[in-house]
Amino acid sequence: MKKRPTIDDVAAHSGVARTTVSRVLNNGPNVRAEVRARVMASVAALNYRVNPQARMLAGGSTGLIALIHAFELDAEPNSYYHSGLELGAMRACAELGLSLHSRTISPLDPARYDKILDLITRMRCIGMILSPPFSDDVAMVQQVIRAGCPLICISAGDAVQAMTASVGMDDAAAGYAMGQHILEQGHRAITFIDGPEGHISAGQRLIGFRRCVVEAALPADALHVERGNFTFRSGITIAEDVLSRDARPSALVCANDDMAAGALLTAHRLGLNIPEDIAVAGFDDTPVSEIVWPPLSTVHQPIRRIGARAVERIAEAVNRGRDTLEPGFEAIAFHLMARASTASKLH
């Protein structure tokens, strides 16, 4: 088995001291451009890869990344979103020789900011991942940044994207793609069940969907919007109301799969045929979307890849000796999953 190149091999190949190589890899000062270029050329030639675990241990670091989820005691959990993020992040940590600490905190907890800072000071985590809605909590984001902890947010809005790194899918584009699919099936009376108020990611899905409807020059009453809370039960309750009206829509689009699964259950209880009487669609492509009947049309959000990429971005920053991540949004590609729960109204 071929031996992996070491930092000493890079030093010998580039003709510089080991400390100089270390300074270059950590993006340190006082290195001439010519020397830096020579070292990086040797890194590429030897296919040298930094061992994050060794670097952490050498620096006395824990190598621990914290993943923060929000929860409410009275609300049912999301069926997959949090566990999908956690699984992706955990696998990336394993590959990079790091550890993951997953913590749930209530958005209503008055001590939530103290609990976040405790992870940084007491547990000495090397980086933090905030998932929605914490990823849009500007005050929380500011506190983490001030504490000098590399931070990346999942599916953050514009305000947080201007402060630190964010990774996720383009929710507005995903909403637009779902709008195209629904309109292509001939549906012209549509109800969209939005997510919780203030949830930016869900709001962007509605914005994209609405833009598609507007561009199709449909009348203003073609799209009706209801407020859900991302739970299976809210999908049941809202669908009971919407599908019992005299002016029933031909398509019901939900901002996540859990609500869509609840809407499907209600449609079955009312004796409606799917998709002949009512088409139902969701977002995320969680496992439930293939378990329900008929299988649910949805947008595949690469949740595990998003979690993994968040870890990778933190590791990249730490390996460069940085305590902040460059602001901006990194989009991970989504794709539409057209299944049996939506069908053409044209024939």
Side-chain angles (χ1 to χ4, degrees):
M1 184 176 178
K2 187 176 180 180
K3 181 183 174 184
R4 290 181 59 181
T6 66
I7 191 171
D8 293 311
D9 295 327
V10 175
H13 189 275
S14 57
V16 301
R18 189 179 192 274
T19 54
T20 302
V21 175
S22 179
R23 194 176 296 120
V24 170
L25 294 176
N26 284 294
N27 201 30
N30 303 321
V31 180
R32 298 195 314 274
E34 179 271 328
V35 173
R36 190 179 299 276
R38 194 161 76 241
V39 169
M40 294 310 297
S42 295
V43 167
L46 297 175
N47 195 29
Y48 174 72
R49 293 290 183 271
V50 176
N51 184 331
Q53 186 178 38
R55 172 172 288 182
M56 302 301 173
L57 294 174
S61 173
T62 61
L64 184 70
I65 293 177
L67 171 60
I68 311 299
H69 297 301
F71 84 101
E72 295 182 31
L73 291 175
D74 296 332
E76 63 190 74
N78 183 288
S79 65
Y80 180 73
Y81 183 82
H82 289 167
S83 58
L85 278 179
E86 187 172 317
L87 180 59
M90 186 165 48
R91 287 179 174 174
C93 280
E95 292 177 1
L96 293 168
L98 304 172
S99 300
L100 184 73
H101 175 80
S102 184
R103 175 72 63 90
T104 55
I105 299 175
S106 170
L108 303 178
D109 187 346
R112 61 191 181 279
Y113 296 144
D114 293 334
K115 290 180 178 180
I116 291 291
L117 294 177
D118 182 65
L119 288 170
I120 300 171
T121 56
R122 184 176 60 84
M123 299 189 70
R124 296 187 298 126
C125 63
I126 64 165
M128 184 169 289
I129 304 167
L130 294 180
S131 67
F134 288 138
S135 55
D136 284 305
D137 187 329
V138 171
M140 182 175 287
V141 168
Q142 289 173 333
Q143 290 213 21
V144 175
I145 293 173
R146 281 198 296 265
C149 182
L151 171 67
I152 188 164
C153 294
I154 304 298
S155 302
D158 292 343
V160 169
Q161 288 180 30
M163 301 165 63
T164 190
S166 176
V167 61
M169 76 172 181
D170 186 333
D171 286 293
Y176 189 91
M178 177 57 77
Q180 286 182 310
H181 171 68
I182 293 298
L183 295 184
E184 285 169 358
Q185 310 316 303
H187 296 285
R188 297 297 182 267
I190 307 159
T191 293
F192 190 103
I193 303 181
D194 197 1
E197 187 172 0
H199 196 292
I200 291 178
S201 204
Q204 287 295 311
R205 295 174 185 183
L206 174 57
I207 286 172
F209 192 93
R210 193 191 300 276
R211 180 165 61 88
C212 183
V213 171
V214 169
E215 289 180 3
L218 298 186
D221 61 357
L223 176 62
H224 179 74
V225 179
E226 297 282 347
R227 173 73 67 191
N229 65 5
F230 274 166
T231 64
F232 177 76
R233 184 155 299 279
S234 74
I236 292 175
T237 302
I238 295 170
E240 285 175 346
D241 177 38
V242 171
L243 299 182
S244 298
R245 297 172 186 169
D246 292 336
R248 190 177 67 212
S250 68
L252 189 55
V253 179
C254 305
N256 80 338
D257 289 341
D258 281 7
M259 293 193 297
L264 278 174
L265 176 59
T266 291
H268 287 308
R269 285 175 172 173
L270 293 174
L272 299 176
N273 294 317
I274 306 164
E276 292 82 5
D277 296 327
I278 181 72
V280 181
F283 284 82
D284 292 338
D285 194 25
T286 57
V288 72
S289 66
E290 292 188 279
I291 295 172
V292 295
W293 184 258
L296 187 66
S297 293
T298 184
V299 170
H300 175 76
Q301 177 174 204
I303 299 171
R304 284 179 291 179
R305 178 58 193 147
I306 289 170
R309 186 59 186 142
V311 167
E312 292 167 359
R313 290 286 301 276
I314 289 174
E316 290 165 3
V318 172
N319 285 338
R320 292 182 173 89
R322 298 175 180 173
D323 57 8
T324 59
L325 276 73
E326 185 176 349
F329 179 71
E330 179 178 346
I332 307 297
F334 67 85
H335 55 272
L336 184 77
M337 305 295 294
R339 299 191 179 112
S341 69
T342 55
S344 175
K345 299 286 289 183
L346 299 176
H347 303 291

